[in-house]
Amino acid sequence: MGRMVMHMQPECPPSKEPERIPKKAHGIQVNFCKNPHCKNFGVPASSETQRKGPGTAVKNDGYRIGVYGKPGMPMIRCQLCGESPPMKSNQGIFEELSRISFFLSRPCCPTKDCPNYGVPADDNKALYQAFGTAKSGAKRYRCKACHTTFSSRPPGIPTRLHKKPHKNATVFRALVNKAPFRRICEMAEISPPTLYDKIHFLHRQCLAFVAEREKHLPSRKAQRAYVSVDRQEYTMNWPNRNDRRNSSLWAIGSADTASGYVFGVHLNHDPSLDPRIIEQDALNCGDYRAAPPFRKHARLWLKGEYAESVGRPLIKTTVSMGSLTGDITMRYDQALQRNDIETPDEFTGNFTLPSKGVQVHAGYTIYAHFLLLRRLLNSIDKTRFFLDQDSGMRAGCLSGFADRIAQGRCDAFYVRINSKLSIDERRRVVRQTRRNFDKVKGANPGLTDSQIKLMMLKESMAQVAPFGKWQDKWVFHPFPGMSEPAKAMCYLTDVQGYDDDHKAWLYNKASLHSIDRFFMMIRRRVQILERSPHSGRPGQRFYIYSPYDPEVVAKMLDIFRVWYNYIFQVGKQTAATRLGLAKGPVTYEDIIYYS
Ligand SMILES: [Zn+2]
Ligand SMILES: [Zn+2]
C-alpha cells in the first residue's frame, strides 16, 4: 500500500505496522461500500489481512485495499460493485461528533482515555463523587477512576460578563438584526471586549436552553421526517497585515421541511485547539509518515497538508453557463478532481488556514453531522433526505443512516437548483409551467389536478438523464416554484422497490427550501456572516464587516439557530412550536435568564 511520505522528520519514531482499515471507534466504522444497490453496502471491510488464492483458510471479505485514485489516498475497493470510497478515520469522526454534540451530553469524566469517559455522572454515583458547587452554580463531580474534577456545565463565565446584564437583551436583538459590531457597542454603550464577552455569554445561554429542549428529540416519535441539507461558506479577514490572505470555512446545516426547525449548523473548525501544539504533536507522533485516514490527527488540516493542497493543480471549473444540466455536470467534474472526493475543502495559495483554532477536514464535519442527525431522528419511522449535490454529503448520509437504509426506513435524494435566475426569469418559468399544466389538463378533462401532477411527474421520470462518472439518473421537476425555479433530483437509494406513483410523490417533495431559507436569513440578519462583495482577487478580499475569529462565526451560527427555531415567528408560530418542542414563542429573556 502506498504510504504518504512527506516532511520526513529524522526524529520521527518509526511508524507502526500499518493496519488494513482504520480501527472502529466508539461503535463507529464507516469503511464500507457506499453503494446502496450492493450487497456490501454497510458491511465494513475486515481489519484482518485477507489471503487470496485457493486453499487459504481466511475467507475473502469482498474488499481490496489500495491506492486506486489520488496518490497517498488509500481506498477500499468493493469487489462486488467496483465502488472505491476513500477511507476515513473512525476516531476522527468520533472526535468531531463529540465536538458538535458536546452541548447535548450529560456531564461525564472529561479525560479521554479514562474508562469513565462518556459515562454520565448524574446517574452513576458509584463511579463519581459529588464535589461541591462551582461559582456558576453548577454541580461539581470527581471521577473515582482518574480523580479529575469537573463541573456539570462548561467552565464558568468570567465575572465581568455580569456587568450591565440589563444590556444583554439589547445586544441579543441587535446581533440578529444585522447591526454591525461597532454600532452595537455604540447603541448599548459598551466596549468591544464587553461585546465579545456578551456574545460568549449569550452563546452559552442559547446552548444550555436548547440542550434542555433537544434532549427530547431522540425520543420524538413521528411517521415521517423530510430533512433538507445544504452548506454555506464564510470568509474571514486576515488578522495581521503580513499575510493578506482570507481563510474560508463551511457550515453544514439540516432543516425539517415541514416545520423549518434547524437541527444543527456545524462549522468545520475546532476553536479549542492550538494549531502550534497540534502541529508539533503531529510531527512527534509520525502523522506525516502515515496515510491521512491512519493519522492521529486525521480530522484536522495539518500545515503540511495545506502546503500539499496548494501545490496540487487547480481544480478546473468547466463553465456551467448557468444552466441546470451544466451545473450538475460541473459538480461531478469538480468532485472527481478532488484529492479526497468526500472532502469539499481544497486550498489554493490565495487562501490560508485560520489563524486561531484548527480547520477540520469538511468531510469529517459532514460525517459527524449525519451521525448526530441519526441520533436526533432515532424514533422517526421513515426519514427522507434532500441533499445538495455533493459526494461528501452522499457519503456522510449513506454512512450515518446505512442501517436505516437497509431496513427500508431511510431514503436520500440529491437536489440541484438553478438559483441564478433573475426574478423576471423565475416568473417566466412559473408561467411556462402553468401553461404546460393547463395544456395537459385540457387534453385530459377527466383527471383531477392531483392525477395530472402525477402524470407529469411520471413523464419526467421516464425522461431521466444520466450524469457523471456513475451515470446517476436525474429527473427534472415538471413544476418547480418561484423559490426553486429550475430543479432536478436524483434518487440515491432507489433500492426499496417503490412503485412509480410512490417515487413520483417523493420526487415531488424534494426541496432544499427549508435549509436554504435559514442560510439566506443568516446572510440578511447577521452582519459578520453577510456575503462579502465580490471585489478583488478571491482569497484576498478585505471586507470591513467580515469576521476575524472563526470561533465567533461558530458562536453566531449557534445563537442564530436558537433564535430562528424558538424566537422568530411566522404567523404566531415558531419552528419549535410547529415541531412540538415548544408550546409557544420563547422570549429573549427566557434564554438570557435560563438556568
Ligand atoms: Zn459494493
Ligand atoms: Zn476519569
Side-chain angles (χ1 to χ4, degrees):
M1 188 169 80
R3 291 263 142 180
M4 182 178 273
V5 181
M6 44 189 256
H7 295 262
M8 190 77 86
Q9 299 292 313
E11 66 270 27
C12 264
S15 53
K16 286 169 275 159
E17 185 61 29
E19 279 148 18
R20 189 166 184 259
I21 61 163
K23 273 203 198 80
K24 190 171 177 175
H26 304 266
I28 299 171
Q29 178 53 274
V30 301
N31 295 295
F32 49 71
C33 174
K34 309 275 157 66
N35 172 6
H37 298 270
C38 177
K39 278 208 170 104
N40 266 347
F41 175 68
V43 183
S46 168
S47 52
E48 315 265 309
T49 309
Q50 302 291 302
R51 306 249 162 75
K52 281 175 291 214
T56 49
V58 183
K59 223 174 88 194
N60 191 300
D61 72 340
Y63 292 100
R64 290 219 179 150
I65 309 297
V67 177
Y68 301 111
K70 301 288 170 7
M73 236 348 135
M75 298 170 124
I76 55 170
R77 172 168 283 179
C78 172
Q79 291 178 275
L80 300 183
C81 73
E83 185 160 315
S84 40
M87 288 189 204
K88 284 279 173 297
S89 159
N90 302 299
Q91 176 63 27
I93 294 171
F94 170 74
E95 287 164 14
E96 188 63 356
L97 177 62
S98 309
R99 180 182 78 78
I100 66 172
S101 61
F102 180 73
F103 76 102
L104 281 170
S105 57
R106 292 151 71 193
C108 73
C109 176
T111 312
K112 291 222 170 103
D113 46 8
C114 172
N116 290 347
Y117 176 68
V119 185
D122 44 4
D123 59 15
N124 284 286
K125 299 229 163 66
L127 304 177
Y128 297 95
Q129 183 184 355
F131 210 71
T133 325
K135 259 189 202 158
S136 63
K139 269 190 197 155
R140 288 192 68 76
Y141 298 93
R142 183 155 82 169
C143 172
K144 288 188 185 170
C146 71
H147 306 292
T148 305
T149 58
F150 56 96
S151 136
S152 60
R153 284 216 222 150
I157 324 161
T159 45
R160 68 173 185 275
L161 288 188
H162 298 294
K163 270 188 198 167
K164 304 178 183 167
H166 57 287
K167 303 215 161 146
N168 288 332
T170 311
V171 171
F172 197 162
R173 281 195 171 84
L175 285 172
V176 295
N177 279 286
K178 214 174 182 181
F181 282 11
R182 283 182 205 182
R183 294 291 92 74
I184 299 177
C185 291
E186 220 174 290
M187 272 160 45
E189 296 183 295
I190 52 175
S191 66
T194 306
L195 173 61
Y196 283 101
D197 284 345
K198 289 206 180 295
I199 291 173
H200 298 319
F201 166 75
L202 291 170
H203 178 250
R204 260 206 47 187
Q205 287 304 104
C206 282
L207 287 194
F209 168 85
V210 80
E212 179 57 32
R213 304 292 172 113
E214 290 185 346
K215 75 177 189 200
H216 302 292
L217 272 178
S219 54
R220 188 181 73 94
K221 286 195 166 51
Q223 295 256 303
R224 299 284 183 271
Y226 300 89
V227 180
S228 59
V229 193
D230 204 347
R231 52 192 187 145
Q232 192 169 54
E233 190 181 8
Y234 309 102
T235 304
M236 244 94 14
N237 281 335
W238 47 89
N240 73 67
R241 283 182 213 176
N242 300 328
D243 185 358
R244 293 170 187 252
R245 284 180 299 172
N246 297 123
S247 51
S248 157
L249 297 167
W250 291 93
I252 175 171
S254 291
D256 180 51
T257 59
S259 64
Y261 193 91
V262 178
F263 294 114
V265 53
H266 302 120
L267 195 69
N268 63 326
H269 179 262
D270 191 332
S272 72
L273 304 173
D274 182 331
R276 286 160 304 181
I277 294 174
I278 295 294
E279 201 56 37
Q280 196 51 55
D281 190 51
L283 289 170
N284 293 343
C285 73
D287 259 5
Y288 280 113
R289 301 169 126 206
F294 293 93
R295 290 175 183 170
K296 178 180 170 194
H297 300 293
R299 176 175 71 108
L300 306 170
W301 271 98
L302 300 176
K303 290 215 171 77
E305 281 181 296
Y306 166 73
E308 258 221 335
S309 178
V310 168
R312 277 194 286 268
L314 278 182
I315 290 188
K316 281 185 272 321
T317 308
T318 47
V319 183
S320 81
M321 311 299 283
S323 75
L324 195 53
T325 50
D327 250 27
I328 295 169
T329 310
M330 184 188 73
R331 280 287 180 107
Y332 281 115
D333 257 25
Q334 288 177 334
L336 277 176
Q337 293 179 57
R338 292 176 189 157
N339 202 49
D340 174 349
I341 191 164
E342 294 176 2
T343 286
D345 49 346
E346 296 252 332
F347 281 96
T348 68
N350 295 343
F351 286 88
T352 185
L353 289 169
S355 54
K356 286 171 99 177
V358 180
Q359 183 161 339
V360 175
H361 287 292
Y364 282 87
T365 310
I366 296 172
Y367 270 87
H369 181 85
F370 281 101
L371 284 171
L372 177 58
L373 288 177
R374 174 67 187 82
R375 194 191 291 172
L376 297 179
L377 302 170
N378 187 51
S379 304
I380 308 291
D381 222 27
K382 283 190 174 177
T383 309
R384 269 76 190 248
F385 283 104
F386 304 128
L387 315 172
D388 179 38
Q389 182 200 346
D390 175 83
S391 307
M393 280 212 199
R394 177 183 178 276
C397 182
L398 299 191
S399 298
F401 283 79
D403 59 335
R404 289 295 156 93
I405 292 165
Q407 294 161 9
R409 293 176 60 190
C410 177
D411 278 297
F413 293 76
Y414 270 158
V415 181
R416 193 86 190 119
I417 289 144
N418 186 354
S419 50
K420 290 185 198 91
L421 299 185
S422 70
I423 196 82
D424 286 339
E425 288 168 318
R426 282 167 195 246
R427 288 207 181 102
R428 200 165 57 234
V429 169
V430 171
R431 271 199 308 273
Q432 183 60 46
T433 306
R434 187 74 227 172
R435 272 200 295 275
N436 293 347
F437 186 86
D438 290 343
K439 215 166 94 191
V440 181
K441 197 173 158 72
N444 299 274
L447 298 184
T448 64
D449 281 11
S450 164
Q451 285 168 322
I452 289 169
K453 272 191 174 179
L454 184 63
M455 198 169 109
M456 289 174 74
L457 283 161
K458 282 157 85 172
E459 259 167 37
S460 292
M461 283 161 59
Q463 297 161 8
V464 286
F467 278 93
K469 181 186 166 193
W470 300 274
Q471 296 289 290
D472 284 348
K473 295 183 186 74
W474 286 79
V475 172
F476 289 78
H477 203 292
F479 28 87
M482 277 298 275
S483 61
E484 297 178 331
K487 177 159 74 175
M489 300 83 61
C490 171
Y491 185 14
L492 298 170
T493 51
D494 191 0
V495 291
Q496 319 289 16
Y498 294 144
D499 61 27
D500 278 357
D501 284 21
H502 194 156
K503 280 189 213 170
W505 290 123
L506 285 176
Y507 280 121
N508 188 43
K509 268 206 158 277
S511 164
L512 295 177
H513 183 64
S514 57
I515 190 62
D516 286 349
R517 181 164 176 271
F518 172 75
F519 279 139
M520 184 192 72
M521 293 261 293
I522 288 179
R523 298 283 198 213
R524 287 188 186 166
R525 298 190 71 120
V526 181
Q527 182 70 67
I528 61 161
L529 304 180
E530 186 191 36
R531 192 193 301 275
S532 62
H534 283 247
S535 59
R537 286 175 64 184
Q540 300 177 24
R541 291 169 178 153
F542 189 88
Y543 183 50
I544 181 164
Y545 296 123
S546 290
Y548 296 89
D549 184 353
E551 185 172 12
V552 176
V553 173
K555 287 190 170 171
M556 278 312 303
L557 289 173
D558 283 335
I559 292 171
F560 192 78
R561 179 175 86 89
V562 172
W563 173 84
Y564 183 86
N565 284 338
Y566 290 89
I567 299 182
F568 174 60
Q569 295 179 34
V570 178
K572 301 207 168 162
Q573 292 270 326
T574 64
T577 59
R578 284 189 295 266
L579 192 73
L581 283 186
K583 290 207 172 69
V586 165
T587 65
Y588 289 89
E589 286 74 17
D590 288 337
I591 292 172
I592 291 166
Y593 297 106
Y594 179 81
S595 63

